[in-house]
Amino acid sequence: MSDESEIAWHREQIAKNRVLLDELESGNTAGGDVFPETRSEIERLKAQTAQSELIVAGFEKEHPDTG
């Protein structure tokens, strides 16, 4: 996998995870509380998104003309 295709994959994952996070955070509640399973999935998606954002940011820092 080339650097550009890997970064493109991470950018896609960031976008997908943000959509899923919006859906999970706005729904799936019981009396105002988020279900434990949903909370776990939200935390997992946030961690994956943060990791992808760091990878993309590092790449863009090394290749400022590709951002």
Side-chain angles (χ1 to χ4, degrees):
M1 182 181 280
S2 72
D3 285 346
E4 285 86 17
S5 63
E6 181 179 352
I7 295 306
W9 182 85
H10 281 286
R11 287 181 174 137
E12 288 176 26
Q13 294 307 303
I14 291 167
K16 288 178 186 177
N17 287 347
R18 286 181 179 159
V19 169
L20 287 171
L21 281 168
D22 286 344
E23 291 173 3
L24 289 172
E25 290 178 331
S26 67
N28 295 320
T29 59
D33 295 326
V34 176
F35 293 124
E37 298 84 5
T38 304
R39 174 59 46 207
S40 176
E41 182 66 5
I42 288 170
E43 294 306 319
R44 186 185 70 78
L45 287 169
K46 284 182 177 181
Q48 284 183 344
T49 302
Q51 183 179 21
S52 287
E53 288 172 340
L54 286 172
I55 291 168
V56 171
F59 178 83
E60 288 176 348
K61 186 176 181 179
E62 291 179 13
H63 306 90
D65 56 330
T66 61

